[in-house]
Amino acid sequence: MCSSDLLVFMPETTLRAVNPAFARLGDFVGFADAYPILLIGAASLADLNARLNDPVPIDRFRPNIVVSTTEPFIEDRWGEIEIGTTCVCGTKASSRCSVPTVDQIIGECTGPEPIRTLASYRRFGNGVYMGQNLTIRRTGRIALGDLVSVRNKIEAVYA
């Protein structure tokens, strides 16, 4: 089911805790869905699009950061990451809802893709995953073209 007729407002004072099972006490989000930042590697989208009859643009997944990668889904295992003057931390892979089935330009559901295809090879337990949820360790500035430095890796978490 797709619904694109909703408008949400959250004042700057709205803070919601990030799931403490995957983040530190004191990690919060406001308007964001569940985590402050979503990162997706370009190779992950390319891998998915190679399996689709009609490729989809990255905006279907609404990432905050897209990183030029050569290995699909490598971002699932990124722990601490420095980008620009910011330091972020990978917490868990991003479980996907039906929003990627909505064309972001026209605001309409276009059918079960790309989630159906993604589910055929990226289903773990009850979820379908694409991208890595991040929490912020050090605020700073991120700009187009900044170097991305993976400081450590983690076991991929699909929960």
Side-chain angles (χ1 to χ4, degrees):
M1 177 178 184
C2 293
S3 176
S4 58
D5 297 331
L6 302 174
L7 181 61
V8 176
F9 170 78
M10 295 183 99
E12 291 181 23
T13 56
T14 301
L15 295 176
R16 296 177 295 129
V18 174
N19 185 337
F22 303 105
R24 298 178 309 170
L25 186 63
D27 283 339
F28 292 97
V29 294
F31 185 71
D33 183 20
Y35 293 86
I37 300 173
L38 173 63
L39 179 146
I40 295 180
S44 301
L45 180 66
D47 183 86
L48 172 61
N49 277 336
R51 300 166 193 257
L52 294 171
N53 290 330
D54 296 311
V56 296
I58 194 68
D59 68 0
R60 291 285 188 101
F61 294 93
R62 303 170 339 277
N64 305 95
I65 301 170
V66 179
V67 178
S68 177
T69 55
T70 56
E71 180 184 333
F73 309 104
I74 192 169
E75 64 272 19
D76 291 0
R77 300 184 310 272
W78 289 356
E80 189 175 274
I81 309 161
E82 288 192 354
I83 308 172
T85 61
T86 302
C87 183
V88 293
C89 190
T91 59
K92 64 180 276 312
S94 179
S95 57
R96 307 313 311 205
C97 62
S98 62
V99 171
T101 65
V102 175
D103 181 311
Q104 300 294 301
I105 302 297
I106 63 174
E108 293 179 9
C109 182
T110 59
E113 295 296 359
I115 296 299
R116 179 174 54 194
T117 296
L118 196 60
S120 73
Y121 71 108
R122 294 284 298 169
R123 178 178 295 282
F124 301 97
N126 293 326
V128 177
Y129 295 86
M130 179 137 170
Q132 174 74 297
N133 291 308
L134 306 175
T135 55
I136 301 165
R137 293 294 178 260
R138 182 181 67 240
T139 60
R141 181 174 165 78
I142 296 175
L144 184 64
D146 278 349
L147 178 67
V148 175
S149 179
V150 178
R151 296 295 183 199
N152 63 38
K153 295 192 176 181
I154 59 173
E155 288 292 320
V157 177
Y158 307 104

